[in-house]
Amino acid sequence: MRVNFTSIMIVTFLQFLHWRAKVPIDLNILSLYRINGQVQSTLPGLAAFVPPRKAARGRERETLLVSLLLNGNVPFLNEEYEKLTGDVAAAYYNTHGALTTALRAAAASVNQALLERNLSTSGRGQYVIGWLTLVALRESQLTILQCGPTHVLSFSGGATRHLHDPALSGKGLGLGQSISQFYSQIQFQAGDRLLLCSKLPPAWNDAFGSDRGLPAPESTRKRLMAIAEGDVSGALIHVTEGAGEIVFSVDASPPLSAPARVDLPAAFIPPEPPDETPPVAHVIGQPPTEQPSAYAIPPQPVEADEALVEQLANVAMARQFPPSIPRATLPEPEPDMESIPEAEEPEFETVDVTSAPRRSPEESALRRAETQRQAARAAVTGIAAWRRVTERVGAALRKFLPNLLPGGESDISLPVPAMAFISILIPLLVVTIAVVVYMRFGRSSQYDTYIAQAQVLREQAMSETDPIRQREAWNNVLQRVAQAETYNVTSETLALRQEAQARLDALLGITRLNFSPIFSGGLSAEVSRMAASDSDLYMLDAAQGSILRAVIGRGYEMDVTFDCRPGLYGNNSVGSLLDLLVLPRVNTLNSSVMGIDVAGNLLYCAPGQVAKAFALTPPSTNWGRVTAMTLDNGKLYVLDAPARAVWIYAEKDGVFTDAPLFFFGNQIPEMQDAIDIAVSGDELYLLHADGHLTHCTYSRIDGVPTRCESPVKLVNRFPAYGEMDMFAEAHFTQMFLTGLPDSLLLLLNADGQSVVRLGSHGFELQGIWSAPVDFFPVGPLSAMTFSPGHNLYLALGNQVYVANNAP
């Protein structure tokens, strides 16, 4: 047997590179904070957290870094910074599933807190806007979420990358119920650096690129502070090899390492956190208690504050300040806009959606909106003038008419109830007219603004040639359409939404299937597994551990006489069933479906028959716990994940009674967390709880061992995803292998309410099956199966949905 030495060296080198990519890293953080010319060693709003003892599924190996900046015209104390960052960590580590889902939940907690605060202080014209950057560290990969026009600079491999997209990250948090977010991922290694800042000094743009070699982090920090003018706030992160820890160099805090308790500086010793709240690794920034946060604008005196509030309100209106925060309304005349102190004016970055020198559609829409508002004010002024005229005419008539009566001295006076009624009626009429005017002109102007922005963004998307920019542009169109539909849903918004969603789906490989619910009244069962033939649909009820049957005809009808449940059958006691599979139409026992319990007991069931039970012969090492099973070419494959084993049972006289064979050779993959199994010939696939796959090829040649690859590298050929790792964001819970010739692996993305299709050999993404937007109720999918007739079944809650003739 000849050995290709060059091939062996290439494989070894690739394995070395793959191992290097998985080396965990440490993040060493230095504060960059100067206020009023004074350099401070601590930065408010910067905090890091390690997973708590009871972190949600998927969060156990992730470290979170929080950078929060608050802008506004009210003071914000350091204790409130600490509470907000603590709430961010609690929301993050209590959210299971995809990483982006947890980041979005953490940002939503800040948005809700700031929005409630803004609404409570809107009568005084006070507001606070949050700019948030979240960095989640898992091994050597950083996943970053930006809300607000923040900046992230990364230096890796000799190249500098600037992460800043206000069109996606929005204006900040606390402005409305919906939030804008910008995601990015970076693969780091030792020696790389990262810079987080809310406002980027111009001198920092090329700061990393001008470095020669790898200077010490403290040297880089001093140089950054020296070349920047004025006040600065940010954090410099230096990457070293380690164990996934975050180290703050400013106060020599110990590294993060769960579950050991982290000691904080003497200036801040919090109480012992409960299990639900992640321990704070370090909170940077502890100004004196009598001094508010450096990011809070000091409050103005009450008697001098009204003009400033009016100025800020007008500035916000000119820059499309979101309507969720009411503006202060003060008497005329309007203040001079140039007199507003620039230091106290909050910055709201707008999206530049056109480069044409002429007036953009947004400006035209704003001018139309302003014209309509002026018309509304003129209408209200006219009503008030008409009221004054009618009052004067009425008073004159009351004086003149008595002179026409005999005696000429009588006086006319209205009864007290009539006068009371008039005093109530007139304000009601005025308020009603004002509401009608607002509903007619105010809401219409907001709708016109957002729909004009959506049209401009659509033109931008149509002109883009880069798939990544196309995806971002169509996402922006959908966001503007959603904002317009909060004021009015029209045929124009529906057409725009349909076009944007269709083009976005095409870029991402998403196919929308026409699903329909099967059972009109739902099921009183918790469906955890399903299996289907051309004539029957079988569902495993996790609550009862039994199998249910629905007959497929013109519709789906539950078979109430079908009995396939745990119990004592002869000498065999069957426990709660955990998996099921459809049997071939022709078999010795004339059964249609088979279930299995954790102890390896099989239960054969068929319509109109009494169930039959048989016990599998235990392996020589005995059972750990049966996890799943599958059937291929008359052989039963049983997964025993805790025992790291897959056992093969050959059929004999329609049952599996002989001793099993061990699938693996000397190479046994790590599989204690495996949750599903699929087999086709000599190819075996395992799905793990964290979503990765193991692929093994069974060897029938003596001297050639069975080989496994774990984890399998999944390939995404759709360029529109860019650096997004859609596989890491998905939450895979079940797997199904379709038949030949086009064998595909179907992975159930429970949280994403979709099915991901992979090639069974190259593991390349073939596409994604999903339902129309907002078709499914909120919640994760619980089960999936695929019938020989190409019908896709999905279970959610107490209902099962079917899409016929899936492509």
Side-chain angles (χ1 to χ4, degrees):
M1 182 175 179
R2 299 180 62 184
V3 178
N4 190 330
F5 180 75
T6 304
S7 300
I8 295 176
M9 292 299 296
I10 292 175
V11 171
T12 304
F13 180 67
L14 291 176
Q15 291 176 346
F16 171 75
L17 291 179
H18 183 264
W19 174 82
R20 286 287 297 169
K22 288 293 185 180
V23 173
I25 58 174
D26 286 351
L27 303 183
N28 299 272
I29 303 177
L30 295 91
S31 173
L32 305 172
Y33 183 33
R34 181 169 61 210
I35 184 71
N36 297 327
Q38 298 295 322
V39 177
Q40 307 291 332
S41 61
T42 57
L43 175 64
L46 186 64
F49 300 88
V50 295
R53 291 187 294 273
K54 295 182 179 179
R57 176 167 44 83
R59 307 282 80 78
E60 304 89 347
R61 296 181 293 121
E62 298 168 359
T63 304
L64 181 66
L65 176 64
V66 182
S67 176
L68 176 63
L69 170 67
L70 298 170
N71 294 289
N73 58 358
V74 291
F76 212 91
L77 301 179
N78 192 66
E79 290 77 11
E80 295 175 285
Y81 266 109
E82 295 171 1
K83 183 180 185 303
L84 278 179
T85 55
D87 293 342
V88 167
Y92 179 85
Y93 286 112
N94 289 331
T95 303
H96 69 83
L99 177 59
T100 53
T101 302
L103 291 174
R104 187 163 52 250
S109 67
V110 178
N111 183 69
Q112 187 63 29
L114 296 182
L115 179 60
E116 292 176 355
R117 179 190 179 105
N118 288 333
L119 292 177
S120 65
T121 60
S122 61
R124 301 188 296 273
Q126 298 176 347
Y127 60 87
V128 173
I129 302 173
W131 293 356
L132 178 67
T133 301
L134 299 178
V135 180
L137 170 63
R138 178 189 289 178
E139 295 180 343
S140 60
Q141 179 173 278
L142 300 183
T143 302
I144 303 173
L145 167 66
Q146 294 172 255
C147 294
T150 61
H151 299 261
V152 177
L153 286 176
S154 69
F155 183 79
S156 178
T160 301
R161 180 183 175 193
H162 186 190
L163 303 177
H164 175 67
D165 194 341
L168 296 179
S169 59
K171 299 177 181 178
L173 303 176
L175 303 178
Q177 292 291 346
S178 61
I179 61 176
S180 300
Q181 58 268 340
F182 175 42
Y183 293 100
S184 53
Q185 285 186 332
I186 302 176
Q187 195 76 28
F188 264 11
Q189 58 185 359
D192 294 344
R193 281 165 289 173
L194 192 73
L195 178 64
L196 309 180
C197 57
S198 54
K199 301 176 183 178
L200 182 65
W204 286 4
N205 274 313
D206 301 322
F208 286 161
S210 61
D211 283 342
R212 297 182 179 180
L214 290 176
E218 183 60 31
S219 300
T220 303
R221 175 183 179 274
K222 291 180 179 178
R223 186 169 62 84
L224 290 175
M225 296 296 288
I227 63 178
E229 298 179 358
D231 297 340
V232 296
S233 63
L236 175 63
I237 302 176
H238 180 69
V239 180
T240 59
E241 292 186 4
E245 301 171 349
I246 294 182
V247 180
F248 288 87
S249 301
V250 295
D251 56 5
S253 298
L256 298 175
S257 57
R261 176 180 174 83
V262 180
D263 296 326
L264 300 183
F268 174 59
I269 301 295
E272 181 71 18
D275 291 341
E276 295 77 18
T277 304
V280 178
H282 185 80
V283 180
I284 297 183
Q286 187 75 12
T289 56
E290 67 274 8
Q291 176 185 348
S293 168
Y295 291 97
I297 300 177
Q300 303 297 319
V302 176
E303 57 272 17
D305 190 51
E306 293 184 353
L308 179 60
V309 171
E310 177 66 18
Q311 293 169 349
L312 292 172
N314 289 331
V315 172
M317 181 181 296
R319 299 190 181 187
Q320 306 176 34
F321 195 81
S324 59
I325 301 179
R327 305 181 181 90
T329 304
L330 297 177
E332 301 289 344
E334 295 184 358
D336 183 8
M337 296 299 296
E338 297 181 355
S339 64
I340 301 177
E342 185 174 355
E344 299 186 1
E345 176 180 336
E347 295 186 9
F348 302 99
E349 296 193 15
T350 57
V351 182
D352 182 13
V353 296
T354 177
S355 59
R358 297 184 179 273
R359 183 181 301 162
S360 67
E362 292 97 323
E363 294 174 347
S364 300
L366 287 174
R367 288 180 177 271
R368 290 197 302 271
E370 180 61 28
T371 302
Q372 292 171 344
R373 283 193 290 270
Q374 291 177 357
R377 286 196 291 268
V380 174
T381 304
I383 292 172
W386 174 255
R387 179 182 176 186
R388 290 193 296 269
V389 170
T390 55
E391 288 178 350
R392 291 175 181 176
V393 171
L397 288 176
R398 282 195 299 271
K399 292 181 179 180
F400 174 73
L401 289 177
N403 297 326
L404 301 178
L405 298 176
E409 299 295 333
S410 63
D411 189 13
I412 297 176
S413 62
L414 295 176
V416 173
M419 297 178 64
F421 175 75
I422 293 174
S423 65
I424 296 174
L425 178 62
I426 291 177
L428 287 178
L429 289 176
V430 173
V431 171
T432 302
I433 293 174
V435 171
V436 171
V437 170
Y438 169 75
M439 297 297 292
R440 175 62 182 89
F441 296 102
R443 292 178 62 86
S444 176
S445 65
Q446 292 291 341
Y447 169 83
D448 291 340
T449 300
Y450 287 125
I451 203 66
Q453 292 177 355
Q455 291 286 3
V456 172
L457 289 170
R458 176 188 177 277
E459 295 298 327
Q460 178 186 353
M462 296 292 290
S463 64
E464 289 286 353
T465 57
D466 179 55
I468 299 177
R469 300 299 301 177
Q470 287 179 339
R471 168 179 61 83
E472 295 171 349
W474 287 116
N475 266 326
N476 290 337
V477 173
L478 288 175
Q479 290 181 5
R480 296 302 187 274
V481 170
Q483 290 172 324
E485 288 182 337
T486 59
Y487 298 97
N488 194 12
V489 178
T490 64
S491 59
E492 186 177 13
T493 62
L494 294 176
L496 263 178
R497 176 181 292 280
Q498 183 177 4
E499 180 187 15
Q501 191 65 61
R503 292 184 178 273
L504 191 60
D505 289 345
L507 289 170
L508 301 179
I510 299 175
T511 302
R512 304 282 176 181
L513 303 180
N514 293 322
F515 284 90
S516 58
I518 289 179
F519 306 108
S520 58
L523 291 171
S524 58
E526 299 178 11
V527 179
S528 60
R529 293 274 184 171
M530 292 190 295
S533 65
D534 289 332
S535 59
D536 299 303
L537 173 65
Y538 296 97
M539 298 153 286
L540 180 60
D541 182 2
Q544 303 296 328
S546 58
I547 298 176
L548 308 176
R549 173 178 180 256
V551 182
I552 303 176
R554 293 185 176 179
Y556 292 82
E557 182 180 358
M558 287 297 299
D559 183 359
V560 296
T561 63
F562 186 75
D563 189 10
C564 190
R565 68 182 66 187
L568 185 62
Y569 297 89
N571 296 327
N572 295 313
S573 178
V574 180
S576 295
L577 303 177
L578 58 89
D579 201 359
L580 79 165
L581 53 83
V582 171
L583 294 173
R585 186 176 297 274
V586 178
N587 59 82
T588 306
L589 298 178
N590 294 323
S591 298
S592 58
V593 66
M594 179 177 70
I596 191 172
D597 67 5
V598 295
N601 295 305
L602 301 178
L603 187 62
Y604 294 80
C605 304
Q609 296 183 12
V610 178
K612 307 177 186 66
F614 295 88
L616 291 174
T617 302
S620 57
T621 58
N622 213 336
W623 294 111
R625 178 185 176 89
V626 173
T627 307
M629 67 173 176
T630 189
L631 189 64
D632 181 67
N633 292 329
K635 294 181 180 179
L636 181 66
Y637 295 79
V638 180
L639 169 63
D640 186 352
R644 295 180 61 193
V646 173
W647 301 101
I648 307 174
Y649 287 86
E651 182 181 4
K652 183 178 181 180
D653 298 330
V655 294
F656 306 94
T657 55
D658 290 345
L661 298 177
F662 190 58
F663 180 88
F664 305 103
N666 295 328
Q667 180 191 8
I668 304 176
E670 294 293 333
M671 50 187 292
Q672 292 92 332
D673 62 340
I675 56 177
D676 208 351
I677 183 174
V679 176
S680 177
D682 294 335
E683 309 294 325
L684 179 141
Y685 308 87
L686 297 176
L687 174 64
H688 296 256
D690 63 357
H692 83 266
L693 293 174
T694 294
H695 173 228
C696 299
T697 302
Y698 184 76
S699 175
R700 300 179 182 273
I701 303 175
D702 293 338
V704 179
T706 296
R707 299 188 181 276
C708 296
E709 179 186 4
S710 181
V712 171
K713 182 179 180 180
L714 306 182
V715 181
N716 186 352
R717 301 294 187 190
F718 290 88
Y721 284 94
E723 296 185 358
M724 292 173 53
D725 188 354
M726 61 86 55
F727 300 113
E729 296 177 3
H731 177 210
F732 298 133
T733 57
Q734 289 186 15
M735 173 175 58
F736 188 93
L737 184 63
T738 64
L740 297 173
D742 299 326
S743 181
L744 293 175
L745 270 178
L746 305 182
L747 300 178
L748 178 64
N749 182 6
D751 291 345
Q753 295 186 336
S754 60
V755 176
V756 175
R757 299 182 297 150
L758 298 176
S760 59
H761 290 90
F763 301 99
E764 182 174 335
L765 178 64
Q766 303 296 315
I768 300 174
W769 285 335
S770 184
V773 178
D774 296 331
F775 174 80
F776 287 134
V778 177
L781 300 176
S782 61
M784 166 195 68
T785 193
F786 195 67
S787 74
H790 288 238
N791 294 335
L792 177 64
Y793 297 90
L794 299 177
L796 193 157
N798 66 342
Q799 184 61 270
V800 177
Y801 301 86
V802 61
N804 297 320
N805 302 318

